[in-house]
Structures are given as C-alpha cells and as structure tokens.
Amino acid sequence: MAWGGRPPPAGSAEPHARTAWPRRADGYVDCRTARGGLLTSARPAPTGLASGARRVLTDNWTGSSTVPAPGLYPHQWSWDSAFIAIGSRHISPRRAQRELETLFAAQWGDGRIPHIVFNPAVPPAAYFPGPGFWRSSTAGAAAGAPRGVETSGIVQPPVHALASLLVHRADPRSSARHGFLARAYPRLAAWHRYLTGARELGGGGLVAVVHPWEPGMDNSPCWDAPLARVEPAPPGTFRRADLDHGAASDRPTDLDYGRYVRLAADYRDGGYADGGAGAAFIVEDPGVNALLIASEHALAEIAALVGADASVHRDRAARLTAALVDRLWDPAAGLFLCRDVLGGGPIRELSAAGLLPLLVPGLPHGIAAALVRTARGAHFGLGHQTRLVPSYDLLGPAFDAARYWRGPAWFNVNWLLERGLRQHGESAPADALRAAALETAVASGFAEYVDPYTGEARGTRGFSWTAALALDLAVAAGQGA
C-alpha cells in the first residue's frame, strides 16, 4: 500500500511533497491529477474483501443484532448498528432490518434512541459503564426508559433514517412484506422530534450533545476545553474494562475517562433530563447536525413511501441547514467548528466532524468547495499525505496518530466523506478515497481505526462497521458482495 509522506516537521504549515509514486505490489500505479489529488487507477476489490467482511459480520452477529467487537464492545451500539445495517443489507436485507428493529425496540418514551442496548447474557464486568451504572429502567423512568431492557441514557449521531432508507432500497419487496418502513417511520420521527426539541439547548436551532460520547468522537481534542470544567470521578471509583482489550496508548486517558464518568453520573442522577441548571457540557457539533439533516432528507422520502407528510422533514432539514451554516461555518478555517454553548463561542480545533456537512444536500456550492479544499489541504492531507481522512488536524497541537479520535482515520468517517464528495460532484477524489478504504480495510484486518499516515491497524480487529462499510463500498464499485 503506497501511503503518502510522514508528518511535516514541527511548526511546518506545508506537507511533505511526493515527487514519484512507485508501482505497488498489486501492479497499479498511483498518480497525481492536474488538481493535485491522488487518483488511483481502477482495480478489482482486494483479495478476500467480500469473504472477510462477511466472516466478521457473521462472527459478530448475535441473532438479533451485531456487536461492534466481541471483546471490547460486547453489546449493541446505536450508530454502529446503523452502519452495520448499511453493509449487511448486501448479505441479507431481512437481517439488516432486524438489526435496526432491535435497536428501535429499546427507544425511550421521550423519543431518544440510547447509545447502548445491553445484552443481559453478557457478564456485568465485561464492559464499563454497564447497566448497573446507567440504571436506565429506574433513573430514566420519568423520560420513558423501557422496563424490559437496560440501556445507557445518552445518545449517538442520528444515522438511522438514512440507514433505514438504504436497507429498504436493498429489497423493497421484502421491506414492504414485513412492514419495515411502516414500523420504522414513527420511531424515526419521534427520534428526530426528541433531538430537535429537547436537545435544542443553544437557542440557535441546532441540536446539542451533553456528553463527549454522544457525537461518537469520544476523546476528540474539540472536547478538551469544555471538559476542563468537569471535575473527574476519583480513579478508584470505576474500573476501565476497555484496557483489557486494547493498548492504553490507543485509548482515552484515565483523566478523560474520569470526566466521562462524572458527566454520565450527573446526567443519570438528574433523571436524564436535558438542559438542567447543573449541566457542565453542552456542545453543538457539526457532524451530529449534518447527519441529522441527511437523515431528515431520508425521512422525507420514507414519509412519502408510507403515506405520511414529507414536507415536515424537508422543512426541518432546510431550517437545520440554515442554522448550521449560520452558527458553525467558519470561512477562515474552511470548515465547520463545534460551538461550546456554555463557553459562549466556537471551539477552534479542526476535526473531521467539521467536514461531514459535505453530506448535506443543498449545501451552498462555495462552502462545499471550501470543504473539499480543506480535506485535501495541509490539515487533513487527503490524496497526498494521507489516503484516508484523519479524525483530527494533522498540524494540530493535540494530534496523535495512534490515540482513538485524536488523529487516527476511521472507516465510518471516510465512508460518510466518500458519499459527500460524490454528492458534490467530486468523483475523482471519491474514487481514490473508496479505493484506499477498501485496501486498508483488508490490510488492517478490518481494524477499528488506523494510523492515517501508514495504515497501521489500531484498536481492535474484526470491527463490524469497518467490515460492513467496506462491503458497501465494494458493492458500490461494482465489485460484488
């Protein structure tokens, strides 16, 4: 695999140049386009991609949902299941439907879809914080937490309507026969109402998150300043099960974890009520809002299919898009910034979340073009320094190529950006990104995430959304499932 140059010297604003692109072991040659991007000639899918992806998804299937990774993540996760369904629809549309329906069955009365649905067969010590910490059925009673299943009380990014629409399209007859969309639509509509109602905490029309785990980019440097306000839980009051399955250098620090635990405990002890006076972390994240807008557009299409009013969702998508541009777009940075609601201003860290509004249909052309330039520029290096977009600014002071969301490249982020590039007519960089994702998925053993410079596997292996999204990209490229 021919990766770009290593990191630039400290303090340099320019990436290392690459003057020659060697022939790779697979016989193809990477070459520069006239616009300076990396364009890789067409090729077959990497050997073993489809069979390897299927094996991962089969091994991680529990009979009703898919775990992200059996050791590290032994329960069902919300946005993981959405991405997994997108890929597993190529194996079995009915199984993909069931993946989402299992998640929707744990929805709370107030509409929230919890970020974890706990499997009672998994030993309590296998994951922290587990059901005994969240105590959803009691602490969340006022918010309508289900009594028959234990969940967490926070949420994750709203990819679910987009996933549901794609799953339906995989086999419309099966979907109609099983009433999939008819059952999913009211669940999804309630989910979006919760987000745009209870989570409109900043006064500007955008959805806010109340915990760093909610945007999915857990230890992003974007959260460092807001988290500094949080008194961490004492180290002896919790045990990190994640370190039993991964290197400490790849994971969030103990200080970060102590703050995560404190925020979650305070939210739980407040009955999972949003916007309370004691809240210490309220942030508007561009990635969460971009995914909600994309899902509102998908939900409009679903509404039309089930005979509901699609205009509600189109109108809401338009309002959210205007608010996103108004509140989070930063022309000088060339991407969208997070906003610290309690701190009263933008968070000036450059994260891949700020590129995700490329997913938004109807985004102003000038903004979309600026996002593409930023992705391909020195801060993210797509097409010259890196072949997959890193999670954080390559030139940022907190960049770490190995540690979770502080620099490594993640396959779900790159799947979303590949989709966004195509939506805005950027076919060549989208093709190169798709090729790189496919090669890296196989070479890394379907890793959780990778070093953005070398492609070295990080985190756990046999990760479900990596396998699922690689399979989806391979099918989209006409390379078969």
Side-chain angles (χ1 to χ4, degrees):
M1 184 182 306
W3 288 82
R6 294 300 302 172
S12 171
E14 295 296 328
H16 282 179
R18 181 118 183 215
T19 56
W21 294 90
R23 182 171 297 275
R24 301 197 312 263
D26 62 8
Y28 293 91
V29 178
D30 290 323
C31 57
R32 286 194 178 280
T33 67
R35 295 172 62 186
L38 178 68
L39 179 61
T40 306
S41 52
R43 73 200 65 159
T47 302
L49 187 149
S51 60
R54 286 172 176 266
R55 184 168 56 252
V56 169
L57 293 172
T58 298
D59 289 348
N60 294 353
W61 172 248
T62 69
S64 59
S65 64
T66 308
V67 299
L72 185 57
Y73 306 108
H75 301 284
Q76 182 180 24
W77 262 257
S78 172
W79 75 328
D80 290 74
S81 277
F83 289 123
I84 290 163
I86 288 168
S88 64
R89 69 190 167 123
H90 302 298
I91 300 172
S92 166
R94 183 61 187 142
R95 176 175 140 183
Q97 293 166 26
R98 191 172 183 190
E99 179 84 43
L100 293 168
E101 289 174 330
T102 299
L103 180 66
F104 297 159
Q107 186 172 26
W108 289 28
D110 65 2
R112 82 182 74 193
I113 294 177
H115 99 294
I116 303 175
V117 181
F118 291 107
N119 181 350
V122 174
Y127 179 80
F128 177 85
F133 174 89
W134 295 101
R135 303 197 294 271
S136 63
S137 59
T138 53
R147 294 186 177 183
V149 61
E150 292 296 324
T151 75
S152 65
I154 60 174
V155 302
Q156 279 189 320
V159 200
H160 311 87
L162 175 60
S164 295
L165 180 60
L166 294 176
V167 167
H168 165 77
R169 288 177 179 170
D171 190 342
R173 289 184 179 181
S174 169
S175 174
R177 185 167 60 251
H178 292 99
F180 172 62
L181 288 186
R183 289 196 304 277
Y185 175 74
R187 298 279 192 174
L188 293 166
W191 169 221
H192 287 200
R193 284 195 302 271
Y194 165 75
L195 290 171
T196 56
R199 289 302 190 88
E200 201 279 286
L201 301 174
L206 293 180
V207 170
V209 295
V210 299
H211 193 288
W213 289 338
E214 292 197 318
M217 301 184 182
D218 304 19
N219 68 330
S220 168
C222 294
W223 319 140
D224 290 356
L227 279 177
R229 295 190 293 264
V230 179
E231 181 67 26
T237 61
F238 62 92
R239 177 186 175 275
R240 294 183 57 181
D242 63 314
L243 297 182
D244 295 339
H245 305 282
S249 60
D250 288 359
R251 305 290 300 170
T253 66
D254 286 342
L255 177 60
D256 286 336
Y257 234 85
R259 286 171 168 153
Y260 304 154
V261 171
R262 172 71 71 187
L263 282 171
D266 289 349
Y267 192 43
R268 174 201 66 203
D269 294 345
Y272 296 111
D274 295 309
F281 185 98
I282 301 176
V283 172
E284 293 170 349
D285 175 76
V288 169
N289 283 278
L291 288 169
L292 178 59
I293 295 167
S295 275
E296 282 288 359
H297 283 281
L299 198 52
E301 187 169 339
I302 293 171
L305 290 169
V306 301
D309 183 2
S311 67
V312 172
H313 306 294
R314 288 193 293 266
D315 291 347
R316 186 182 291 150
R319 291 194 301 272
L320 285 164
T321 301
L324 178 69
V325 171
D326 180 60
R327 287 180 68 80
L328 303 186
W329 173 243
D330 190 296
L335 85 172
F336 291 82
L337 300 178
C338 298
R339 175 178 288 272
D340 182 359
V341 172
L342 298 177
I347 298 170
R348 300 204 172 277
E349 298 282 2
L350 308 188
S351 160
L355 300 172
L356 290 183
L358 271 174
L359 282 167
V360 173
L363 192 69
H365 175 74
I367 291 178
L371 289 174
V372 173
R373 288 194 298 272
T374 300
R376 293 156 64 91
H379 292 284
F380 293 93
L382 179 62
H384 48 92
Q385 279 189 280
T386 66
R387 296 183 69 208
L388 297 181
V389 175
S391 51
Y392 174 67
D393 180 5
L394 298 171
L395 304 179
F399 176 81
D400 184 331
R403 194 178 291 278
Y404 217 42
W405 289 96
R406 301 180 79 84
W410 288 74
F411 289 89
N412 65 328
V413 169
N414 281 272
W415 182 89
L416 292 166
L417 290 175
E418 190 265 1
R419 188 176 182 89
L421 287 167
R422 290 192 191 284
Q423 181 167 261
H424 292 283
E426 297 285 346
S427 298
D431 287 345
L433 181 55
R434 179 169 64 192
L438 292 173
E439 292 172 6
T440 308
V442 174
S444 68
F446 300 100
E448 185 179 4
Y449 47 96
V450 298
D451 182 306
Y453 288 111
T454 67
E456 180 183 354
R458 297 289 184 180
T460 191
R461 311 300 190 269
F463 197 68
S464 291
W465 80 26
T466 302
L469 297 177
L471 185 60
D472 186 67
L473 289 173
V475 172
Q479 296 169 350

